[in-house]
């Protein structure tokens, strides 16, 4: 066989052997897609294996993460270097054959689905179908933004493309429609999706559930369509890739007809090769079809690695070296822009990013935390030029619009309404919460700082991408407003009840529900000031209704938010009853506290904006805030009571929501559901009797 066939069959053999060794996995898709992966990686992809963090590299996303054995084979054969968690490139391979042999094993570098930062060469964590597609749209948006701001005459620093492999399952997921719609509207000509149309899913031929005319669907969404009738015809596939690469006016979909499990005498083209090993006998029979040694496992033929080194290796090294020389010259001619680029590369914020953040004066009427958040966001974003973000058609309501003079709107220069620019800072996501969440992941993975805004209730649509952001450790800020029954007249469909409990239960997320405008300030400082190498997504749960601005000259500093929970008001000695609350209910607790103090009771108010951060504090601090022997406690929150017993204790009172809300003015809802001064005082006094 010629060298192309040898490389392709080596990829297939490695994928088969990984799955067989683990006795778990998906061999069929790698077997069918090996020719396409080979042609893209070795002949097209602009990527330097020795410098996998090169900023101008093409990105490859495997949306169907179940086919991870394909990606791991490519990483090994391409010779990608390893990268430490804190971003240092090492002079050793990212994946050895021994790593491939440990496929899907505990603590291996080859987990069942690709994981960002876990395996060098993996650009994003994928697994849940459709997520990789939408994330790649975020990467394409980021490239357009970087090019628009930083490319100068004679300095095309950011001209890379994003390539995504997807399958039938990806396109069945609703997020794929949302993401494709965004990409088509924005005319992202740097984006190429390769659709593996093998027509097989776990339950069988996809005709049982999926008969869409995919080409017409994408054409209607403004995409270029290319079709390759035989996945083994790498010349045809590469020609279509080149056509797609040249099409700058719209994203491209390459429809690739493949045979799942290609080469397997008894399983090719069936769902039997989708999600289980071939079995020892079928492995040998298949390798015989490929002309590969039947008795060898994890076999890499002589000349294969050298061929990759002469292809993607040589091409990538030359391109990255040329880029480094170009950037060195760029720094002399455009030093300020170059400094921004270096800050982006190294995940640094510019000096003085927090200099204009407002301080809010005490005010019994106060301001809604969504409104104070909008002011803080604008003050911060004005001083971080590479901060971009948007809302799912709710910016006027959640106050997430960047209003300063040069903020602009991210649109294609061909936007029919005029004034389109790819360097705009405001993104119109439309009513597409699910895609927005994954697109934000792609933007963050490209080095930009980003936020995504919506109503808290609609975070339900975003749970998957937010979860993946937490797994990846991305410092995305989610601005979720209308955080409680304070939504009022919109009723139970729009009033969050269980959402706080969900995000508090999700590892790695920092859920913050600020009590007033100055806690909002501290929440934004915390979210933006994170160390990138140990970052967490931050959820800001913000109110629709006004929150009194606490007099910080009389009560504790809002900086206590950085410890998750803190004593905001106290009698000056050990209390006999502790009122614990978050968000809008802190104001209610403060009202009750003042009454109790006037009556001579020993009371304390604890603001608990973030359980996760509070739990990270030393036990000594937590015991100082909530002395274990003080059992008289009342917890107050307009959400599910689940979890509050950890702070209220076994004998404490929890004033919370035990049902969905209702449609009525907010004051009526507060009264009906028990969030009144009288009810809190009664609970506190009952605790004092114990």
């Amino acid at each position: 066989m010629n060298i192309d066939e040898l490389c392709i069959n080596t990829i297939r053999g490695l994928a088969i052997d990984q799955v067989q060794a683990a006795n778990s996995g998906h061999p069929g898709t790698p077997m069918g897609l090996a020719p396409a992966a080979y042609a893209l990686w070795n002949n097209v992809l602009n990527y330097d294996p020795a410098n996998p963090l090169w900023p101008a590299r093409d990105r490859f996303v495997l949306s169907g993460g179940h086919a991870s054995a394909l990606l791991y084979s490519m990483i090994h054969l391409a010779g990608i270097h390893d990268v430490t968690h804190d971003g240092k490139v090492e002079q050793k391979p990212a994946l050895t054959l021994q790593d491939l042999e440990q496929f899907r094993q505990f603590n291996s570098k080859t987990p069942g689905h690709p994981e960002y930062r876990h395996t060098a060469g993996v650009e994003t964590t994928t697994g849940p179908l459709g997520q990789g597609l939408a994330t790649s749209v975020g990467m394409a948006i980021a490239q357009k933004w970087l090019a628009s701001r930083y490319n100068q005459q004679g300095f095309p620093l950011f001209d890379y493309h994003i390539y995504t492999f997807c399958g039938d399952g990806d396109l069945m997921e609703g997020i794929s429609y949302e993401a494709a719609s965004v990409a088509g509207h924005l005319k992202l000509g740097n984006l190429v999706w390769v659709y593996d149309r093998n027509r097989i899913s776990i339950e069988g031929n996809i005709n049982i559930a999926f008969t869409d005319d995919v080409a017409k669907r994408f054409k209607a969404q403004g995409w270029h369509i290319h079709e390759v009738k035989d996945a083994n015809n790498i010349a045809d596939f590469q020609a279509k890739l080149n056509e797609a690469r040249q099409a700058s006016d719209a994203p491209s979909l390459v429809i690739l007809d493949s045979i799942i499990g290609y080469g397997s005498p008894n399983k090719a083209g069936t769902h039997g090769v989708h999600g289980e090993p071939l079995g020892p006998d079928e492995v040998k029979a298949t390798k015989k079809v490929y002309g590969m040694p039947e008795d060898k496992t994890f076999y890499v033929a002589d000349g294969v690695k050298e061929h990759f080194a002469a292809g993607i290796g040589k091409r990538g090294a030359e391109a990255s070296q040329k880029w480094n020389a170009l950037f060195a010259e760029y720094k002399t001619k455009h030093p300020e822009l170059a400094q921004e680029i270096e800050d982006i590369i190294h995940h640094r914020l510019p000096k003085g990013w927090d200099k204009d953040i407002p301080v809010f004066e005490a005010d019994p009427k106060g301001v809604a935390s969504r409104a104070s958040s909008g002011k803080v966001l604008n003050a911060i974003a004005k001083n971080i030029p590479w901060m971009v973000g948007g809302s799912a058609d709710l910016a006027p309501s959640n106050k997430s619009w960047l209003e300063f003079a040069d903020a602009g709107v991210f649109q294609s220069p061909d936007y029919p309404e005029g004034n389109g620019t790819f360097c705009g800072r405001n993104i119109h996501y439309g009513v597409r919460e699910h895609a927005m969440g994954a697109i934000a992941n792609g933007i963050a993975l490209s080095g930009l700082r980003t936020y995504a805004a919506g109503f808290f209730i609609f975070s339900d649509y975003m749970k998957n991408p937010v979860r993946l952001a937490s797994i990846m450790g991305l410092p995305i800020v989610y601005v979720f407003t209308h955080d409680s029954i304070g939504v009022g007249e919109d009723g139970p469909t729009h009033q969050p009840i269980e959402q706080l409990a969900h995000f508090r239960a999700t590892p790695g997320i920092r859920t913050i529900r600020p009590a007033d405008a100055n806690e909002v300030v501290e929440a934004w400082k915390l979210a933006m000031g994170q160390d990138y190498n140990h970052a967490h997504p931050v959820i800001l749960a913000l109110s629709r209704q006004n929150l009194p601005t606490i007099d910080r000259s009389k009560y504790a500093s809002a900086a206590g938010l950085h410890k998750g929970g803190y004593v905001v008001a106290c009698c000056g000695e050990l209390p006999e009853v502790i009122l614990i609350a978050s968000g809008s209910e802190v104001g209610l607790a403060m009202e009750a506290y003042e009454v109790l103090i006037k009556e001579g009771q020993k009371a304390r108010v604890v603001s608990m904006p973030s359980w996760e951060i509070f739990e990270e504090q030393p036990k000594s601090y937590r015991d100082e805030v909530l002395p274990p022997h003080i059992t008289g406690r009342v917890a107050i929150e307009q959400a599910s009571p689940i979890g509050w017993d950890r702070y209220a204790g076994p004998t404490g009172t929890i004033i919370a929501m035990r049902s969905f809300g209702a449609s009525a003015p907010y004051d009526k809802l507060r009264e009906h559901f028990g969030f009144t001064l009288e009810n809190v005082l009664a609970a506190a006094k009952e605790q004092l009797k114990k």
Side-chain angles (χ1 to χ4, degrees):
M1 65 187 79
N2 62 39
I3 188 62
D4 292 337
E5 293 172 323
L6 187 61
C7 290
I8 291 167
N9 289 331
T10 297
I11 296 166
R12 287 168 167 154
L14 289 176
I16 290 170
D17 288 340
Q18 289 175 69
V19 175
Q20 191 62 39
N23 197 30
S24 172
H26 300 73
T29 297
M31 294 161 71
L33 275 181
Y38 165 73
L40 172 62
W41 278 59
N42 206 44
N43 300 336
V44 177
L45 208 63
N46 207 26
Y47 186 100
D48 183 4
N51 187 11
L53 300 182
W54 171 38
R57 68 190 181 278
D58 285 344
R59 268 62 166 182
F60 174 77
V61 174
L62 182 68
S63 190
H66 57 277
S68 57
L70 173 66
L71 180 54
Y72 299 148
S73 300
M74 301 309 300
I75 290 171
H76 172 69
L77 294 175
I80 292 177
H81 285 213
D82 205 5
V83 178
T84 63
H85 184 81
D86 58 355
K88 295 178 181 177
V89 179
E90 298 190 314
Q91 298 305 309
K92 65 177 184 179
L95 292 178
T96 64
L97 281 178
Q98 290 71 34
D99 291 319
L100 268 57
E101 291 171 356
Q102 293 299 306
F103 181 60
R104 287 184 165 229
Q105 303 308 299
F106 179 71
N107 208 31
S108 77
K109 297 172 71 175
T110 48
H113 293 80
E115 296 179 23
Y116 173 68
R117 289 199 199 183
H118 186 81
T119 311
V122 173
E123 299 283 5
T124 180
T125 299
T126 55
L129 291 177
Q131 293 297 320
L133 288 178
T135 300
S136 72
V137 173
M139 293 176 175
I141 287 173
Q143 185 278 324
K144 289 294 187 183
W145 192 90
L146 289 165
S148 184
R149 180 168 180 84
Y150 298 116
N151 287 3
Q152 301 293 320
Q153 184 68 36
F155 294 95
L157 292 180
F158 298 103
D159 282 347
Y160 59 87
H161 284 68
I162 295 86
Y163 297 93
T164 307
F165 277 12
C166 63
D168 297 297
D170 287 291
L171 297 189
M172 290 188 216
E173 292 284 1
I175 191 173
S176 71
Y177 186 94
E178 292 183 24
S181 180
V182 172
H185 166 75
L186 293 174
K187 302 182 184 298
L188 300 178
N190 56 346
L191 181 65
V192 181
W193 288 0
V194 177
Y195 164 37
D196 174 28
R197 187 167 60 182
N198 63 44
R199 307 204 63 78
I200 294 294
S201 64
I202 289 176
E203 294 184 356
N205 189 290
I206 63 167
N207 286 336
I208 60 176
F210 186 57
T211 52
D212 295 16
D213 188 323
V214 171
K216 287 183 179 178
R217 166 183 154 186
F218 275 79
K219 187 174 182 180
Q221 291 182 294
W223 286 58
H224 292 299
I225 310 300
H226 309 271
E227 294 198 50
V228 178
K229 293 299 183 182
D230 180 4
N232 291 306
N233 188 339
I234 61 174
D236 187 18
F237 175 65
Q238 193 169 319
K240 298 297 170 47
L241 281 182
N242 289 332
E243 289 178 25
R245 193 179 182 96
Q246 297 302 315
S248 61
D249 61 332
S252 293
L253 179 73
V254 180
I255 301 175
L256 184 71
D257 287 330
S258 75
I259 298 173
I260 193 169
Y262 178 85
S264 172
N266 300 298
K267 293 188 176 183
T270 73
H271 67 279
V273 75
H274 182 279
E276 59 187 39
L278 294 179
D281 292 340
E282 192 69 10
V283 168
K284 290 183 178 181
T286 303
K287 288 182 177 180
K288 183 176 181 180
V289 172
Y290 294 155
M292 304 293 282
E294 302 168 38
D295 57 344
K296 291 185 178 180
T297 59
F298 296 95
Y299 173 71
V300 178
D302 292 342
V304 170
K305 285 190 174 181
E306 291 79 5
H307 187 64
F308 275 96
I312 185 174
K314 183 174 184 292
R315 184 178 64 253
E318 291 174 352
S320 68
Q321 290 166 13
K322 181 179 178 181
W323 189 90
N324 288 336
L326 189 67
F327 186 59
E329 184 181 355
Y330 183 91
K331 287 196 285 187
T332 65
K333 295 189 176 181
H334 305 284
E336 292 184 1
L337 292 177
Q339 182 61 58
E340 290 185 14
I341 293 171
E342 290 189 326
D343 284 344
I344 291 171
I345 292 172
H346 296 291
H347 307 292
R348 299 187 298 246
L349 294 180
K351 294 180 180 179
W353 66 271
D354 56 351
K355 65 181 179 181
D356 296 321
I357 296 177
V359 174
F360 294 86
E361 299 296 326
D363 182 356
K365 179 181 178 182
V367 60
S369 52
R370 62 170 173 164
S372 54
S373 171
K375 293 179 180 179
V376 176
L377 167 61
N378 269 271
I380 291 172
K382 183 175 63 175
N383 294 318
I384 305 176
W386 54 93
M387 187 170 181
V388 302
S391 177
D393 198 49
L394 291 169
S397 189
N398 54 42
K399 311 302 180 186
S400 60
W401 191 258
L402 301 183
E403 299 175 333
F404 46 89
D406 59 346
V409 181
F410 186 92
Q411 293 281 9
S412 165
D414 296 328
Y415 181 54
E417 302 297 323
N419 300 319
T421 172
F422 280 137
C423 64
R425 309 270 295 279
N426 289 290
I427 300 173
H428 286 294
Y429 281 111
V431 187
R432 304 183 184 97
E433 289 89 355
H434 197 179
M436 175 176 71
I439 289 170
N441 289 347
I443 293 172
L445 287 163
S446 303
L448 304 184
R449 296 304 297 263
T450 193
Y451 60 92
F455 287 178
F456 198 21
I457 192 69
F458 301 140
S459 67
D460 288 354
Y461 288 119
M462 299 173 61
K463 286 176 179 176
N464 217 328
V466 173
R467 184 175 189 270
L468 291 178
S470 186
I471 290 173
M472 290 187 276
L474 301 180
I476 298 171
V477 181
Y478 302 97
V479 180
F480 288 143
T481 67
H482 297 59
D483 70 339
S484 69
I485 59 171
V487 174
E489 293 84 349
D490 275 342
T493 62
H494 282 53
Q495 294 167 6
I497 301 297
E498 72 277 17
Q499 284 69 25
L500 280 169
H502 168 84
F503 286 117
R504 285 169 176 162
T506 305
I509 290 176
R510 298 293 178 264
T511 306
I512 305 177
R513 190 167 183 249
D516 72 347
N518 288 308
E519 278 199 11
V520 169
V521 168
E522 299 303 327
W524 270 106
K525 286 181 179 178
L526 184 151
M528 297 303 299
Q530 299 183 78
D531 174 3
Y532 183 85
N533 294 317
H534 302 91
H536 304 273
V538 172
I539 286 173
L540 301 181
L542 306 173
S543 73
R544 175 187 184 233
Q545 72 274 24
N546 286 350
L547 306 182
T549 306
I550 298 169
D551 185 349
R552 299 295 174 170
S553 66
K554 181 179 179 182
Y555 301 107
S557 166
L561 176 139
H562 291 262
K563 293 188 175 181
Y566 65 103
V567 178
V568 66
C570 191
C571 57
E573 51 189 311
L574 273 179
E576 294 180 349
V577 64
I578 304 174
L579 308 179
I580 317 164
S582 78
S584 52
E585 289 69 71
V586 172
L588 177 58
M590 296 287 283
E591 288 184 61
Y593 167 82
E594 294 294 349
V595 173
L596 291 169
I597 292 298
K598 286 180 181 178
E599 293 179 351
Q601 304 292 348
K602 297 177 181 179
R604 168 179 291 186
V605 176
V606 170
S607 177
M608 189 69 72
S610 177
W611 294 11
E612 303 90 349
I613 298 172
F614 185 69
E615 293 298 326
E616 291 175 347
Q617 305 309 310
K619 185 177 185 297
S620 58
Y621 174 78
R622 287 182 278 129
D623 288 349
E624 180 184 332
V625 174
L626 297 173
H629 65 283
I630 307 298
T631 59
R633 302 184 184 188
V634 180
I636 318 162
E637 188 172 68
Q638 292 178 0
S640 167
I642 291 176
W644 270 109
D645 55 310
R646 71 168 64 180
Y647 301 125
T651 61
T653 300
I654 301 173
I655 301 174
M657 293 295 296
R658 289 171 169 80
S659 69
F660 292 114
S663 178
Y666 177 50
D667 287 344
K668 179 63 178 178
L669 295 176
R670 287 183 64 183
E671 178 185 351
H672 176 76
F673 290 107
F675 295 96
T676 62
L677 176 60
E678 294 75 17
N679 198 32
V680 173
L681 285 172
K685 291 177 180 179
E686 187 65 29
Q687 288 293 316
L688 285 166
K689 292 178 184 178
K690 295 181 180 179

